[in-house]
Every structure is written in C-alpha cells, then in structure tokens.
Amino acid sequence: MTNRSFEIVDVTLRDGSHSMRHAFTKEQVRETARGLDKAGVNYFEVSHGDGLGGSSMQYGLSKVNELELIETAAAECGQAKVSVLLIPGIGTKYDLNDAVKAGAKMVRIATHVTEADVAKQHITLARELGLKTIGFLMMAHMASIEKLVEQAKLFESYGAEVVYVTDSAGALLPHEVTERITALKNELSIEIGFHGHNNLSMAMANTLAAVQAGATYIDGSLRALGAGSGNTQTEVMVAVLEKMEYNTGVDLYKILDVANDVVAKYMPRPQEVTGSSLMMGYSGVYSSFLLHTEKAAKRFNIDERDILVELGKMKAVGGQEDLIYEVAANITKKKFAVAPKP
Amino acid sequence: MTNRSFEIVDVTLRDGSHSMRHAFTKEQVRETARGLDKAGVNYFEVSHGDGLGGSSMQYGLSKVNELELIETAAAECGQAKVSVLLIPGIGTKYDLNDAVKAGAKMVRIATHVTEADVAKQHITLARELGLKTIGFLMMAHMASIEKLVEQAKLFESYGAEVVYVTDSAGALLPHEVTERITALKNELSIEIGFHGHNNLSMAMANTLAAVQAGATYIDGSLRALGAGSGNTQTEVMVAVLEKMEYNTGVDLYKILDVANDVVAKYMPRPQEVTGSSLMMGYSGVYSSFLLHTEKAAKRFNIDERDILVELGKMKAVGGQEDLIYEVAANITKKKFAVAPKP
C-alpha cells in the first residue's frame, strides 16, 4: 500500500450526485463506501454534486442531508478516508466544520481556474482542522498554461498539499493534459492531481497522460457516474493502469464488484456521450449554459450549437448567461445580413 | 472532399447489428444511411454483425435479410458507398456476389490476425468484382508486431488496397496502436486502417493514435453502437479530429443529428463499459468465451475472471472453448493444493 504509484480518489458519491439528481440514499452510500474501502481505495468523496451546501433550489435539493451521508460513509471506512468538496460561494467555512464533525478527513477547495484567490481562507481553515487539503482548479481548459501555473501557485502558497487540473467540461485532449501537468510538475513542489470528464471520450486517455506526466492524484467514478458524459471510470482506470504496470493499490475484482453489483443497480441510466454533452466538450462551455442556449436558439431560429461554439471561443464563464442572447442576436445578424454591393 | 486527411468508415449498420441482436429494420437502415450520406461519410458498412452469411442459429438470425438491407442503404447513397464485411468460413464468395448485386461497392475480408492466408481467393474475387478491397486483421492485440506485419503483407500480396489493425476485444492501449500502425506504415505500401472497441475506454484515444501514426482509414459507430462496449463513437471522432485540425470531410452537426435523432432512438440500450466487457479488454479474450467461462466458473466454484485472465495469457482463440474447462480445473487444483511439507 505504501508504494502505490498514485492515489485514486473515487468521486461516485459526489460527482455522481449530479446524475442521481442529488437523491442518494443512506443505503446506497453505505454499500458504495463499503465496497470502495474493501477494494483498497484510500480516498473517496461524499458531498452534494456542487459541493458542501449545494443543496438548494438553484443547484438541486438533496434527498438526504449530505452530513448524514458523510457520517454513513465514514462509518464504513477501514483504511479509507472520506473527502468532501467545497466551492467557496456555494459552501461556507461552517459547512466545512460540520463535515469534519461528520467524519470528513480530506477536502478539495474548488474554484474556477482563474479564481484561486477566493479560496485562501478556506485552505487556511482546512489545514487548521487537520484535513488533507487540496486545491481544485475547475474548467482548467479555459486558462493558458501560464495562468494555470499562476493560479496553482496561489493554492500552493495558501497551504494546499495537492493541486488539481480539473477538466470539468471534458474539453481537454491528451497532449493538452500532458502539457498542463508537466508545467505544474516543473513549477510547483506540491503534488499534482487530475480530474477528467468523458465528453470527448478522452477521460481515460487523459488520466493516463496525467499519470505519465507525473500526476499522483487521479479521480474516477464507478460506472463513470457523474456530470455530463460522466467521469473517468474508476474500475477501468484500475484495469488500464495495472496493464501499464503501475501499482494502483486497488483490487481489480473488488472494485469491479462494487461498480457492477452496487452502483450499476442504482444509477438511473448509463453514462454516455450524448449530443449535448459532446457539444459541451467540443465548445468547452458550462453545462449550466445548455438550457438558456436552447431557449435563445429557438427565439432567434438558429442552431443552438452555433451559440455554444461562439460562447466557447469567448471563454464565457458561469454567471454570464446574459451573453447568450447577445451571441444569438449576433449570429442571426450575420446569417441574414445582405452582402454589401460591390 | 478530395483533401480529407483520412476516410471515416461508419460501421453502425454492421457492428451495431450485435447490439441490435441482428434485428435492424429497413426503416432504421434507410434513415441511418440517409443521415450518413448527407453528413459526408464516404463509406459505411451494412452486413450481419458477423459479416455476410452470418445470419444463423450460431451467430444469431437476422430479422431482415442483409441483402435487402444493403439494397435499402445503397438506394440512399449520393456520394457514399456501401461496404460489406466478409469473414471467410462464415460468408462465402456467393454471398459476396449477391452483395455486389445488392449495391455493395467495398468489402472488408476479415480473418483472425494469424490467418490472413484463408482470404486469398476472397480478395482476388473482390478485386475482380471491381470492389474497393480491404483486409481486416481481427484480434490484432494477440499477435506480435512481426506477426502482424507478416500477415498484413499477405493481404497486400493478394491485392488488398488497405489493411486494418482490428482491435476486436478493445484490448490495445494507445502506445500499442502507435507501434502497430507505425510498423505497418514502414513495411507496407498500401494504406493502413484502424478499427477500435471501447472495452478499456480507449477507443477514441487509440483512433487518434492511429491517425497520428499514419492510418488513413478509421472506423466508428454512431452512439458507439457495436459489440462489447461498443466502437469508437463516430460523431465524437469527428469532433475530436476537427479540434486536432484534421480535415474529416464530415459535417459535425449533421453527423450529430443522425446519431441523436436516429440511432439513439432505436438502440436498445446505451453502450457502456460493463464488468464483462471490461474483463474482455483486460484479458484480451473473445466475447464468445464469456458464456462458457461463466458455466465453468460455477462448476469449479472459482472466479470466472481468473479463467478469462488465464485464457488471455494463453492467447486462446475462437473454437478452443474446450480449453476453458481445462483452465478452470487447473485453477481449482492450484487453489486447493496442499502446500508440500517442509
């Protein structure tokens, strides 16, 4: 166990919350946590899909309070430890305190890739609470490598022990992951992590690229249960990395058992690359844009995919939904413009 | 169209036949063929999942005669051409003649990776019939690179215009694809193709690796519809390769439309990496072994996955199902053996 090549962090019980519409039951969490622990996974995450405090009208109400789910999971842990996700602005320092009381031993403080500075106080608190403390740079494809390094260094300076390249939209390709992880390895002295999504069917290949470039924390989800097209599939990751002769520290048959005998039975539908999740990865936009884009496309009678591609080029971020109508109007203008006379 | 970087060959209507339990209707084939043609795909395949003549008790009876399906598809073709698959031993030269009458313009003659020599007469006939003629080396992961090159050269010597590395079990990893395609590019003068499956979530990454190593024919399937965990997903391939600045010649929105508005509506279930398909890729065995292995595991009270891994190591091939019981017996013997006294 001591000489594993990296830590596999399973996020089924957090990122999977999106696919479960935040309706995880205690029984589902108990069985999944037990299976992960027995398979030899050292860290797994339990929180609302949008992190601690995410249960709300805006992000979706949790069926069961996440603190109860954290407690339930922690009770199943032998060697494994429960992680939580905290997005400053959604969750608060109070939520983190509560999570620790419920049994959390690790936290990932997540910000948009250009906004690490909002995480300083949370990182400080997490260290004070004695948690394994990780910085999580979301939508990492949206920043240049220089910007990414700068932001990761902020996390490092605040006291994070690991910093993640988080490919929230599943928009990165393997060579781009290699470049990013390599740059961080060269410029930082803390450990580097990678969290992948499958919108372009590249989650597994990106994770392998990350490991080969020196990442020592990698995320996965059983049966790929997670937002968009889902995550890197934990059990596949174990199989592939074993074939590549890495020491995962995770038992392949046992992780397959919890994936297939537990998670596959409660997931509402298989994860796949659909038209909209593919367009998310292709254009590199937030999933929260999809609904507004569909409406704007109808109103202006244009293809919603043209709007997504344009938003991606503009690097629009969450909260800029107003932009969607402006973009739609511009596309319409161009489409129906009369060519100037010669 | 003339300067596309490679040809995308869509196999939804052939490899997808496995997932459809060979129950494609004319209407499904018509709509799919129309969409592929309109999207700019130049070649797509229509046959029983196991190739021409595959409709049988052993391989599964087709609901509609494949010749009628080929005719239906051919009637929808503007620039696109219908391909067929022929596995000597399952299909015959008579089947190929009939397929040509029905409208087929391309054939892929498929053999196990070590048995290209059985294809000589079929390749000769295909060229005589004026077909675009391709050799298809199945279960390519089971041969050494030297063997693969030797077998591909046989296809070349018979008159094949393209030879494929066919990763039937989805067992290859990207660096292994790179090695194989590179070796074939160096040693042959005909074009090289790659056909990927997703059992280890690597179909897309493997396809990209193949293209980067010089493959000019690549296979995909809409919504990944195909055997095992499914194929490289055609519409994802178009998006990723466009992002990589290749000229696919295929319209992304139109290919997304046929995937989501046509294929997604008739596929019986989404394609995903399940426990058994993952074990196929991990151990590199035939899907036809799964049922026998399950039975043997029950009889000997051992884990069926141990049998699969052992069969993979032995490089067991189709037809060697007897081996399964022998392997199971040996595993039992080892498991319950009394350690010799010191």
Side-chain angles (χ1 to χ4, degrees):
Chain A
M1 200 189 299
T2 48
N3 54 3
R4 17 182 110 185
S5 312
F6 37 71
E7 289 293 348
I8 290 178
V9 180
D10 187 88
V11 299
T12 311
L13 298 174
R14 198 277 303 165
D15 218 325
S17 164
H18 293 293
S19 289
M20 296 290 291
R21 296 175 177 271
H22 315 295
F24 271 124
T25 66
K26 277 198 203 181
E27 188 54 28
Q28 288 164 348
V29 166
R30 183 178 299 122
E31 292 297 318
T32 311
R34 184 180 299 160
L36 287 166
D37 182 71
K38 282 195 181 148
V41 170
N42 278 344
Y43 298 101
F44 64 90
E45 198 156 80
V46 185
S47 306
H48 183 279
D50 296 290
L52 295 175
S55 180
S56 60
M57 291 300 286
Q58 194 182 353
Y59 296 107
L61 289 164
S62 296
K63 184 169 174 181
V64 178
N65 185 304
E66 62 192 339
L67 294 172
E68 285 180 59
L69 299 181
I70 293 166
E71 265 175 12
T72 303
E76 295 299 326
C77 287
Q79 98 294 340
K81 293 180 178 69
V82 173
S83 173
V84 291
L85 182 77
L86 175 68
I87 303 179
I90 297 177
T92 66
K93 291 161 81 171
Y94 303 103
D95 292 318
L96 188 57
N97 271 306
D98 290 343
V100 170
K101 283 178 205 147
K105 305 285 186 201
M106 176 162 110
V107 64
R108 312 206 286 179
I109 311 290
T111 74
H112 183 68
V113 63
T114 56
E115 294 173 9
D117 59 335
V118 305
K120 186 176 179 183
Q121 54 178 331
H122 305 83
I123 297 276
T124 307
L125 173 64
R127 291 301 299 265
E128 282 168 14
L129 290 168
L131 294 169
K132 177 97 188 172
T133 303
I134 295 183
F136 216 60
L137 289 166
M138 298 188 291
M139 298 293 274
H141 72 282
M142 291 182 77
S144 66
I145 292 177
E146 295 68 35
K147 190 74 187 173
L148 181 72
V149 168
E150 171 203 297
Q151 296 292 305
K153 280 187 172 172
L154 284 181
F155 267 127
E156 183 176 40
S157 72
Y158 303 152
E161 296 160 89
V162 185
V163 68
Y164 262 73
V165 174
T166 302
D167 184 19
S168 317
L172 291 175
L173 296 175
H175 70 281
E176 296 170 324
V177 173
T178 303
E179 286 163 10
R180 279 160 179 75
I181 301 289
T182 304
L184 294 179
K185 283 297 289 180
N186 289 340
E187 301 278 341
L188 279 80
S189 51
I190 58 176
E191 291 185 84
I192 310 301
F194 178 75
H195 173 102
H197 278 273
N198 206 35
N199 302 60
L200 295 177
S201 299
M202 284 297 197
M204 184 62 240
N206 285 345
T207 303
L208 178 58
V211 163
Q212 289 176 321
T216 47
Y217 277 73
I218 47 175
D219 285 12
S221 185
L222 297 163
R223 291 296 277 235
L225 193 73
S229 304
N231 297 61
T232 314
Q233 196 166 334
T234 303
E235 65 276 23
V236 177
M237 203 152 83
V238 172
V240 167
L241 292 167
E242 228 180 65
K243 266 176 93 90
M244 297 290 294
E245 296 182 357
Y246 288 101
N247 178 4
T248 69
V250 178
D251 184 282
L252 177 61
Y253 293 178
K254 288 183 182 164
I255 198 80
L256 274 168
D257 287 342
V258 56
N260 297 303
D261 300 341
V262 180
V263 178
K265 293 196 171 143
Y266 65 63
M267 62 196 290
R269 75 192 66 77
Q271 296 286 162
E272 52 179 341
V273 185
T274 62
S276 55
S277 60
L278 173 58
M279 281 308 297
M280 260 185 72
Y282 179 74
S283 57
V285 301
Y286 280 79
S287 56
S288 61
F289 283 8
L290 290 178
L291 190 65
H292 298 284
T293 305
E294 197 187 327
K295 282 187 197 160
K298 273 193 189 136
R299 194 166 127 192
F300 288 91
N301 192 26
I302 54 178
D303 194 313
E304 63 183 285
R305 297 172 291 200
D306 282 330
I307 308 179
L308 291 173
V309 168
E310 201 54 37
L311 289 167
K313 281 186 196 155
M314 296 169 69
K315 299 193 185 297
V317 297
Q320 294 188 311
E321 283 75 6
D322 289 352
L323 262 181
I324 294 172
Y325 285 86
E326 206 179 304
V327 167
N330 282 335
I331 292 171
T332 313
K333 214 187 284 173
K334 266 192 213 157
K335 195 175 155 192
F336 298 107
V338 179
K341 285 184 184 164
Chain B
M1 200 188 300
T2 47
N3 54 3
R4 15 184 110 183
S5 311
F6 38 72
E7 291 293 348
I8 289 177
V9 179
D10 187 88
V11 299
T12 310
L13 299 174
R14 198 277 303 164
D15 218 326
S17 164
H18 293 293
S19 288
M20 297 290 291
R21 296 175 177 271
H22 317 294
F24 272 124
T25 65
K26 277 196 201 182
E27 188 53 27
Q28 290 164 348
V29 166
R30 184 178 298 122
E31 293 296 319
T32 310
R34 185 181 297 162
L36 287 166
D37 182 71
K38 282 195 181 147
V41 169
N42 278 344
Y43 298 100
F44 64 89
E45 197 155 82
V46 185
S47 307
H48 183 280
D50 295 290
L52 296 176
S55 179
S56 60
M57 291 301 285
Q58 194 183 353
Y59 297 108
L61 288 165
S62 297
K63 184 170 173 178
V64 179
N65 185 306
E66 63 191 338
L67 294 173
E68 285 181 58
L69 298 180
I70 293 166
E71 263 175 12
T72 304
E76 295 300 324
C77 288
Q79 98 293 340
K81 293 179 179 69
V82 173
S83 172
V84 290
L85 182 77
L86 174 68
I87 303 179
I90 298 177
T92 65
K93 292 162 83 173
Y94 302 103
D95 292 317
L96 187 57
N97 271 306
D98 290 342
V100 170
K101 282 178 205 146
K105 304 285 186 201
M106 176 162 109
V107 65
R108 310 204 289 178
I109 310 290
T111 73
H112 183 69
V113 64
T114 55
E115 295 173 7
D117 59 335
V118 304
K120 186 176 180 184
Q121 55 177 331
H122 305 83
I123 296 276
T124 307
L125 172 65
R127 292 300 299 266
E128 282 167 13
L129 290 168
L131 294 169
K132 177 99 187 169
T133 303
I134 294 183
F136 216 57
L137 289 164
M138 299 188 292
M139 299 293 274
H141 73 282
M142 291 182 75
S144 67
I145 292 178
E146 295 67 36
K147 190 74 188 173
L148 181 72
V149 168
E150 170 203 297
Q151 296 291 306
K153 280 186 173 171
L154 284 181
F155 267 128
E156 184 176 40
S157 73
Y158 303 152
E161 296 161 271
V162 186
V163 67
Y164 262 72
V165 174
T166 303
D167 184 19
S168 317
L172 290 174
L173 296 174
H175 70 280
E176 296 169 325
V177 173
T178 303
E179 288 163 7
R180 280 161 178 73
I181 302 290
T182 304
L184 293 179
K185 283 296 289 181
N186 289 341
E187 301 279 341
L188 279 80
S189 51
I190 58 176
E191 290 186 84
I192 310 301
F194 178 75
H195 173 102
H197 278 272
N198 206 35
N199 301 58
L200 295 177
S201 298
M202 284 298 196
M204 183 62 239
N206 285 344
T207 304
L208 179 57
V211 163
Q212 289 176 322
T216 46
Y217 277 74
I218 47 176
D219 285 13
S221 184
L222 297 164
R223 292 295 276 237
L225 192 73
S229 303
N231 298 61
T232 313
Q233 196 166 332
T234 304
E235 64 275 24
V236 178
M237 201 153 84
V238 172
V240 168
L241 292 167
E242 229 180 63
K243 267 178 93 90
M244 297 291 293
E245 298 183 354
Y246 287 102
N247 178 5
T248 68
V250 178
D251 184 284
L252 177 61
Y253 293 179
K254 288 183 185 165
I255 197 81
L256 274 168
D257 287 343
V258 57
N260 297 302
D261 300 341
V262 180
V263 178
K265 293 193 173 146
Y266 63 64
M267 60 198 289
R269 75 192 66 78
Q271 295 286 162
E272 53 180 339
V273 184
T274 62
S276 56
S277 59
L278 173 57
M279 282 308 298
M280 257 185 74
Y282 178 74
S283 57
V285 300
Y286 280 78
S287 55
S288 60
F289 284 7
L290 291 176
L291 189 66
H292 298 284
T293 305
E294 199 188 325
K295 281 187 198 161
K298 274 194 190 137
R299 195 167 125 192
F300 287 92
N301 193 27
I302 54 177
D303 194 313
E304 65 183 280
R305 296 172 292 200
D306 283 329
I307 307 178
L308 290 172
V309 168
E310 201 53 38
L311 289 167
K313 281 186 197 154
M314 296 169 69
K315 301 193 184 295
V317 298
Q320 295 187 309
E321 282 76 5
D322 290 351
L323 261 180
I324 294 173
Y325 285 87
E326 205 178 306
V327 166
N330 282 336
I331 292 171
T332 312
K333 214 187 287 174
K334 266 193 213 159
K335 197 177 155 190
F336 298 107
V338 178
K341 286 185 184 165

